[in-house]
Every structure is written in C-alpha cells, then in structure tokens.
C-alpha cells in the first residue's frame, strides 16, 4: 500500500528533476535536507529513520528489565551505559528525521498509537540474565550488520548518524559476547541458561533483517535510491556466516538442524524463521507488544509536565526577547 502510494506520487513528479536526482544518487553524492528530493524518497526515509529511532528507544525496555538484577556492580554499570547509549542513538535518528520536515512529537505520537512500527525483536521478553548476553551478541550483532552499510546511505544526516551509532554499537556487541563467554564457560547451569537464551533469540534475530527478498515491499525502490544498501536476505546470510563460528567458539548450538556450511555458495545453509510469527509480531501481537507500547505511553504521559514546563520557559524567554527589541 505504502509502496503503491510512493510509486504513484513519484510518477507525478517532474521527470527531469527525477532523472537528475537519480543521477546524483548513482554518482554516490549525498542528498542534504534542503536539496530537491522526490516525495517518495522523503517518505521512505521518514518511515525507515523514524522506525529505526523508535527501535532504539523501545529497545531500552527489555534491557532495563535486568538493571536491578545485574549480577555485579560492574555488569550493572556496563548495562546502564549501554541503555543510555541507545537513548542517544534514538536522539541522533530523530534529529535526522526532523531534517525531513517531521517533528519528533509527531513521530512519537505515531509510535504510541501504533501507526509506526519498531523492530520486531523488542516484542520478545528477556527472561534471564543470559538474555543480556544474547541481546548484545545477537541483537546488536544483527543491528551492526544492518547499520554498517547504512553509513554509506544516500541521505547525509542519516549516514552521519549511522557513523556515530556504529562506533558505539560495536562495543555493545562485544559486551554481549563477553557475557555469553562468562555464562557458556561457567557452571553447567550457567551454560544451560546461555544455550536457552540462544535458542529463544536465534530466529527473532534473523527476523530483524525483515521479510525475505521476494516478500519485501520496499527493498527494490529503497536500493535504487541507496536508502538501503543491501537486500534483507543478503544481510541475513552475512549475519549467519559471521555468527555460526562464534557459537562454535562459545560451545553453544544454534537451534537449526539445517545449519550447514555450503562450499559452493561459500556460506551457510540455514532454516528461515517462521514468517507467520514475524507478521503477527509486526502487527502488534508479539509476546510483549502490548507491554512495550503501554510502557512508552506511560513514559510519554508522565513526562508531559516536563515538556510543558520547558515549552512555557522557552515561550516566556522568546516573549521577553521580543519585548526588549
Ligand atoms: N521489525 O519492505 P520491507 C536497534 C516491516 S536494531 C518490524 O523489507 P524495509 C537496536 C517494514 O517496516 C533495529 N517491522 O521493509 C539494537 C515494512 O512495513 P511498513 C532497528 C519490520 O524498510 C540493539 C514491512 O515490514 N534497525 O534499533 O525495506 C539495541 C515490509 O518490509 C521488520 C533498523 O531499523 C522488523 N524486523 O526493510 C537497541 C535499521 N522488518 O513500514 C536497538 C534500518 C521489516 O511498510 N531499517 N519490517 O509498514 C532497515 O534497514 C529496514 O527498514 C529493514 C526493513 C531492513 C528493517
């Protein structure tokens, strides 16, 4: 539906301008906020950057669940810093989206009333401390796989935000792997918890890359505009190829009997996630979907007095400035 809308709007636009725009993209130029851009390009970016920002913010929730129960003060401090980083990533991304003419409040309202999505992965619960390892290792690992190419995306503010995000995200992935190492080489019970976390997070992590290429609505146009640099399946394959040897190193087993090195394709064969589960989750029916939106709505409502106070202060300051002039 969205793709159709974008397509019909794109065809209404001046063909000469469209061709010149595409030529800039093909030449690897960055598009900046004040440059002419097709409406479809603007809308696709607002959707993708906005959903990415929401994912960073909602992504704080499953981790904050473990802040009060981290096993040591050091682990607690590291987790707290990571969660704080995610808030920063959300802010960089909201700022990038705002350069396209949408306000942060509008984006937030679209998240809160379900008009905009956030990553499917955050609709799953974090049940044990080992999940903090699995989230860092697999979820941040998948996020990096997706975000490293986005550093070269065609829209300048998004590309620059991604450069900053990726620097921090690689620390996150390493801290997750470190937690997994500790658990996997610890007591039999700790190793069992690590395996259980891998079992639960493996397929949801594969879903993070989006539907398979044949079912992806936006990929071909987004790739032509260099909003996306790779297809969903390309990145999923790279993620499996990178992660399978890491699981071996940890002495853990990826829950997929079909996972097998394929010499010919120079990559692993693996099972697809259950796509009906994916579609259910992104329609708001994941195990924690209702809780996540309830938590974000509560935070938004509880923070209203702060926003009102800041706005009143800014308005008063502006009025005083006008009176003095
Ligand atoms: N979850 O045509 P497609 C992070 C939707 S990491 C929910 O292939 P596209 C973090 C898609 O929006 C996660 N929805 O779409 C990590 C579309 O629906 P709409 C955030 C999904 O956009 C650690 C429909 O399915 N990363 O934040 O070309 C700690 C058809 O899909 C998902 C990003 O957002 C999903 N997994 O490709 C804290 C990266 N997959 O919008 C935080 C930037 C698909 O038409 N985004 N959908 O209603 C992207 O690279 C792309 O948007 C995607 C999807 C690859 C995710």
């Amino acid at each position: 539906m969205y793709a159709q809308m974008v397509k019909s709007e794109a065809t209404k636009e001046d063909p000469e301008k469209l061709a010149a725009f595409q030529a800039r993209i093909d030449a690897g130029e960055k598009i900046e906020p004040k440059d002419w851009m097709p409406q479809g390009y603007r809308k696709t970016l607002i959707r993708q950057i906005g959903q990415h920002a929401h994912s960073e913010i909602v992504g704080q929730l499953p981790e904050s669940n473990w802040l009060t129960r981290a096993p040591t003060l050091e682990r607690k401090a590291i987790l707290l810093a990571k969660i704080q980083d995610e808030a920063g990533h959300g802010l960089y991304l909201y700022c990038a989206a705002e350069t396209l003419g949408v306000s942060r409040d509008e984006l937030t309202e679209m998240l809160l009333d379900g008009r905009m999505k956030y990553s499917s992965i955050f609709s799953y619960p974090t049940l044990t401390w080992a999940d903090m390892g699995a989230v860092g290792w697999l979820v941040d690992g998948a996020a990096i796989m997706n975000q490293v190419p986005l550093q070269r995306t065609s829209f300048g503010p998004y590309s620059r935000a991604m450069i900053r995000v990726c620097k921090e995200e690689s620390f996150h992935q390493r801290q997750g792997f470190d937690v997994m190492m500790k658990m996997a080489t610890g007591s039999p019970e700790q190793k069992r918890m690590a395996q259980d976390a891998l079992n639960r997070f493996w397929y949801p992590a594969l879903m993070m890359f989006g539907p398979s290429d044949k079912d992806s609505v936006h990929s071909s146009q987004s790739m032509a505009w260099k909003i996306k640099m790779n297809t969903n399946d390309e990145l999923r394959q790279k993620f499996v190829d990178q992660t399978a040897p890491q699981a071996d190193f940890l002495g853990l087993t990826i829950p997929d009997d079909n996972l097998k090195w394929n010499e010919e394709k120079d990559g692993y064969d693996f099972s697809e996630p259950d796509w009906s589960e994916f579609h259910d989750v992104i329609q708001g029916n994941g195990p924690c979907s209702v809780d996540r939106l309830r938590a974000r709505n509560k935070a938004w409502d509880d923070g209203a007095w702060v926003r009102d106070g800041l706005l009143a202060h800014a308005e008063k300051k502006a009025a005083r400035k006008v009176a003095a002039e």
Side-chain angles (χ1 to χ4, degrees):
M1 180 66 190
Y2 188 86
Q4 278 166 6
M5 193 170 83
V6 165
K7 208 171 167 200
S8 65
E9 280 180 7
T11 49
K12 271 188 244 152
E13 283 174 298
D14 181 342
E16 268 182 41
K17 279 187 175 171
L18 278 175
F21 178 80
Q22 192 60 51
R24 289 189 65 195
I25 300 270
D26 295 343
E29 278 181 45
K30 289 275 180 265
I31 306 301
E32 296 298 336
K34 288 190 175 152
D35 295 348
W36 184 87
M37 62 184 79
Q39 279 311 307
Y41 179 84
R42 187 184 299 277
K43 283 192 170 179
T44 304
L45 278 170
I46 291 174
R47 179 185 61 80
Q48 181 167 316
I49 302 173
Q51 292 183 168
H52 194 165
H54 298 329
S55 305
E56 300 284 353
I57 300 302
V58 178
Q60 295 177 106
L61 297 171
E63 293 185 302
S64 60
N65 184 36
W66 281 92
L67 267 180
T68 52
R69 285 166 291 162
T72 66
L73 181 60
E74 193 190 4
R75 290 286 182 204
K76 190 192 193 83
I78 294 170
L79 188 60
L80 192 57
K82 179 180 190 286
I83 294 170
Q84 229 168 339
D85 284 351
E86 312 299 3
H89 297 175
L91 295 188
Y92 306 155
L93 285 159
Y94 284 127
C95 288
E98 280 184 316
T99 68
L100 291 155
V102 63
S103 75
R104 189 169 147 194
D105 282 6
E106 282 174 276
L107 289 168
T108 304
E109 276 155 19
M110 286 194 270
L111 166 72
L112 297 182
D113 67 18
R115 273 176 294 156
M116 277 184 95
K117 296 184 168 73
Y118 61 88
S119 181
S120 50
I121 192 74
F122 302 120
S123 284
Y124 290 86
T126 46
L127 302 178
T128 73
W129 172 254
D131 289 10
M132 293 303 93
V135 167
W137 173 37
L138 301 174
V139 176
D140 288 86
I144 296 171
M145 195 54 86
N146 169 283
Q147 287 167 187
V148 164
L150 289 178
Q151 294 178 108
R152 292 178 285 113
T153 192
S154 60
F155 186 56
Y158 191 24
S159 148
R160 292 187 285 276
M162 281 298 100
I163 292 169
R164 297 184 67 171
V165 169
C166 283
K167 283 202 176 109
E168 291 171 353
E169 214 76 271
S170 58
F171 279 110
H172 295 177
Q173 201 252 358
R174 274 181 253 168
Q175 73 83 31
F177 195 75
D178 187 59
V179 171
M180 285 309 266
M181 277 288 281
K182 269 275 180 312
M183 302 290 289
T185 56
S187 66
E189 177 58 8
Q190 284 173 312
K191 184 164 182 183
R192 195 197 58 74
M193 283 166 70
Q195 181 63 54
D196 172 60
L198 170 57
N199 292 349
R200 283 181 290 106
F201 275 92
W202 176 251
Y203 288 103
L206 295 187
M207 292 176 194
M208 286 176 69
F209 297 96
S212 63
D213 291 352
K214 63 177 174 22
D215 296 322
S216 170
V217 187
H218 305 290
S219 280
S220 58
Q221 181 61 78
S222 289
M223 286 182 64
W225 277 331
K226 296 190 184 162
I227 289 175
K228 275 168 86 164
M229 307 303 286
N230 300 87
T231 71
N232 302 351
D233 285 338
E234 278 168 12
L235 292 175
R236 195 170 4 254
Q237 179 71 54
K238 279 179 87 168
F239 174 74
V240 173
D241 293 347
Q242 173 185 283
T243 311
Q246 294 173 346
D248 275 349
F249 185 78
L250 289 167
L252 300 177
T253 308
I254 288 177
D256 179 2
D257 293 340
N258 296 319
L259 186 82
K260 198 164 170 268
W261 179 256
N262 180 334
E263 201 64 55
E264 215 170 292
K265 79 169 185 190
D266 195 27
Y268 284 88
D269 289 331
F270 61 95
S271 302
E272 299 245 330
D274 175 350
W275 291 118
S276 63
E277 177 180 320
F278 168 78
H279 287 293
D280 234 27
V281 170
I282 66 172
Q283 274 154 27
N285 301 318
C288 296
S289 304
V290 172
D291 279 359
R292 300 298 185 228
L293 279 192
R294 191 183 294 133
R296 289 313 312 157
N297 269 290
K298 182 174 183 313
W300 184 247
D301 294 344
D302 289 352
W305 68 273
V306 181
R307 293 192 302 279
D308 289 349
L310 286 173
L311 267 180
H313 176 70
E315 275 163 16
K316 219 169 167 184
K317 215 169 141 191
R320 256 194 248 123
K321 202 175 160 209
V322 170
E325 279 167 5

